[in-house]
Amino acid sequence: MGDYLAEFEHLVALALVRLGAEAYGMAVRREIVERTEREVSIGSVYSTLDRLERKGLVTSSTSAPTPVRGGRAKRCFRLTAEGEKALARSQRVLEQMAQGLSFEGAD
Amino acid sequence: MHPPRLACWILRICVPATERECVEGDFFEEFVLLHAQAPRSVAATWWSLGYVVRSIVPFVQMRLRRIPAVRLVATNVGALLFGAACFTAARSLRIFVLVHVPLRAADRPTLGYVALETLVVLAVAGLGGFIAHQLHAEFTSGRPS
């Protein structure tokens, strides 16, 4: 049995898939804030990415510095093959749990 | 146009050295975006302070996680507390057994008494190990911070 992602790890992994090559700290944070309408700190995002990287589910690379960032480099993240499997597994579990349920009362 | 110095200083202190450049770059980029939307407003300044303050705890945790000595001390203190709890529980159970179970008729403990005491200690250690395993799994799994 492989790893399952926790709720916030799941959100971060989905944001990485959505953003593709443009998945860096700020973009991931904004993606989650815009889609979930929930306030998320950049610290939480980096802490989660760090944990996922230690588990071998995410890999990162540093790009060249850009003027828009005050001459600082950008660190881009992407899911590894193991990360994609873990995301698929967690997504499947969520869908299976929600199957046949209705959430009409939820806003 | 630059983010407030206080916010930059807090970030510099909290963020691990390996992440500092990227985090500061993200902060700068987001500050510039927000400032461009409302150039005369102080909202960007307040936003930047909130942004940094909310990130202090996760960054400090991240920094501590990377220091082997901190992990070693935390593990040892945890193991010590856990051992003390197991020892106290085993002693309490031993006293309970001595008072309520009439196995010790002679001055020398009988084989049954020794077996029962061993069983009690093993059961407490096993239960403790199970709880420790559950706690470890809980603390190493991802949670929103």
Side-chain angles (χ1 to χ4, degrees), chain A residues 6 12-14 35 41 55 71:
Chain A
V12 169
L14 286 171
R35 290 194 175 268
S41 74
K55 288 181 184 175

Side-chain angles (χ1 to χ4, degrees), chain A residues 6 29 46 50 69 75, chain B residues 19 21 26 29-30 66 142:
Chain A
R29 191 190 90 81
Y46 269 98
D50 180 58
R69 295 169 60 80
R75 191 166 163 206
Chain B
E19 320 288 332
E21 189 182 348
D26 285 352
E29 194 177 338
E30 214 160 351
R66 291 179 173 189

Side-chain angles (χ1 to χ4, degrees), chain B:
Chain B
M1 165 216 342
H2 288 285
R5 282 184 184 179
L6 177 64
C8 295
W9 180 75
I10 295 172
L11 268 189
R12 207 167 303 134
I13 286 180
C14 299
V15 179
T18 48
E19 320 288 332
R20 204 166 289 151
E21 189 182 348
C22 312
V23 173
E24 283 180 0
D26 285 352
F27 176 55
F28 188 86
E29 194 177 338
E30 214 160 351
F31 179 83
V32 168
L33 265 175
L34 202 74
H35 197 268
Q37 286 166 9
R40 290 178 189 279
S41 163
V42 290
T45 305
W46 282 110
W47 169 86
S48 62
L49 286 171
Y51 177 97
V52 167
V53 168
R54 275 198 306 275
S55 292
I56 290 176
V57 173
F59 277 133
V60 169
Q61 283 176 340
M62 193 170 151
R63 207 171 169 156
L64 290 176
R65 267 206 308 264
R66 291 179 173 189
I67 304 172
V70 172
R71 294 178 71 170
L72 190 71
V73 169
T75 308
N76 282 320
V77 169
L80 195 71
L81 290 174
F82 178 68
C86 280
F87 179 73
T88 309
R91 255 187 99 163
S92 305
L93 275 168
R94 184 175 180 270
I95 292 166
F96 178 83
V97 167
L98 280 174
V99 171
H100 291 93
V101 182
L103 285 172
R104 202 174 158 182
D107 285 337
R108 286 175 60 194
T110 62
L111 191 64
Y113 170 76
V114 173
L116 187 62
E117 193 170 2
T118 309
L119 202 68
V120 167
V121 171
L122 284 177
V124 171
L127 184 67
F130 175 74
I131 294 169
H133 178 262
Q134 294 298 314
L135 286 175
H136 177 75
E138 173 67 23
F139 283 110
T140 51
S141 74
R143 289 167 299 160
S145 14

Side-chain angles (χ1 to χ4, degrees), chain A residues 84-105:
Chain A
E84 283 174 10
K85 280 183 201 163
L87 176 60
R89 205 159 34 229
S90 298
Q91 191 66 34
R92 198 169 50 244
V93 166
L94 270 184
E95 281 163 12
Q96 281 170 354
M97 287 302 292
Q99 207 168 33
L101 299 176
S102 67
F103 303 96
E104 285 163 13

